[in-house]
Amino acid sequence: MTLIDMIERYQLMVAVRTDTPEKAYKAAKACINGGVKLIEITFSVPEAEEVIKILSDDDSVAVGAGTVLSTTDAKKALKAGATYIVSPNFDEKIVKFTKKEGAVSIPGACTPTEIYRAYKAGGDIIKLFPFVEIGGLDFLKTIRGPMPFIKYMLSGGVTLNNISQYIAADASCILVGSAIIKRELIMAEDWSSITDLAGSFIQKINELSSKS
């Protein structure tokens, strides 16, 4: 199974964004304990590459880097063991560097022109960001008309209550952040509640996938 196959199979990717590397590691482990197979450590986390390095030793999970805004950060992430690079924007240099290094490229885009340019530059999956603000599921449906051949990641707005609509949209991946990595749980260092939340999302996805 290729990494893209794995992403499309498990669908839920969790973006971990915390103010310390220790909390990022513990939050990521809490998600993994809940059954999450795709973890993105954002480069807004101090020493993000160190967290990626430790987590990449775990064969049960695919670890990537998020909020990658320069080739310097992409280089650090890949050296640490990241297998995919996620950005909130489209930067051709980052996409081409990521592909040259043999990793999966997930650039962000929010207009038809950006989406197509990111795809043509080598983006494997295009992150629609900010998903809700650009029109959400209606936007996805519309953009798929002329560009059905592109793989999409939906970034933002998903909750346990509406995840069935996201799954039904049949995107390659759904990126979840604060719906699982809740600020108040991070502040309280309540890792078991994060595990429970992650497990609830995984259970819901499994139920929906078995019905389809």
Side-chain angles (χ1 to χ4, degrees):
M1 185 164 43
T2 67
L3 179 55
I4 292 174
D5 290 338
M6 184 180 176
I7 290 170
E8 293 190 320
R9 177 180 172 184
Y10 293 111
Q11 292 196 294
L12 183 77
M13 184 183 292
V14 178
V16 177
R17 192 185 301 276
T18 62
D19 59 355
T20 71
E22 293 79 16
K23 286 178 187 172
Y25 173 74
K26 287 176 180 174
K29 284 301 283 184
C31 290
I32 294 165
N33 291 339
V36 174
K37 299 290 186 186
L38 305 162
I39 295 283
E40 172 198 311
I41 302 297
T42 66
F43 255 69
S44 54
V45 173
E47 299 168 51
E49 65 272 27
E50 294 304 316
V51 183
I52 290 167
K53 192 173 183 180
I54 298 166
L55 290 170
S56 63
D57 285 338
D58 186 342
D59 292 336
S60 73
V61 63
V63 184
T67 321
V68 176
L69 299 171
S70 67
T71 50
T72 303
D73 283 349
K75 197 175 287 184
K76 283 182 192 173
L78 296 175
K79 190 178 177 187
T83 53
Y84 52 92
I85 299 292
V86 185
S87 299
N89 63 317
F90 165 54
D91 183 319
E92 191 168 353
K93 286 180 184 172
I94 294 173
V95 173
K96 290 196 179 302
F97 174 76
T98 302
K99 295 304 295 172
K100 191 181 80 155
E101 295 297 312
V104 168
S105 172
I106 310 178
C110 71
T111 67
T113 301
E114 277 185 338
I115 290 164
Y116 190 67
R117 282 185 63 218
Y119 166 77
K120 287 295 281 182
D124 294 294
I125 299 171
I126 308 305
K127 172 182 169 179
L128 297 180
F129 176 80
F131 186 57
V132 173
E133 289 77 4
I134 61 176
L137 294 166
D138 287 339
F139 178 83
L140 174 65
K141 188 177 177 183
T142 303
I143 204 72
R144 266 199 176 136
M147 291 185 264
F149 46 84
I150 293 176
K151 296 178 184 292
Y152 296 101
M153 173 193 274
L154 314 182
S155 176
V158 68
T159 65
L160 271 174
N161 294 328
N162 68 8
I163 194 166
S164 58
Q165 296 167 272
Y166 277 64
I167 294 293
D170 200 27
S172 290
C173 186
I174 299 163
L175 185 66
V176 178
S178 57
I180 292 176
I181 311 293
K182 289 186 180 288
R183 192 163 173 264
E184 62 270 23
L185 297 179
I186 296 292
M187 286 175 72
E189 300 193 20
D190 185 354
W191 312 118
S192 62
S193 289
I194 291 175
T195 295
D196 291 345
L197 260 176
S200 298
F201 271 87
I202 295 295
Q203 186 181 358
K204 193 90 170 173
I205 289 169
N206 289 342
E207 285 171 7
L208 292 162
S209 299
S210 65
K211 286 176 187 173
S212 60

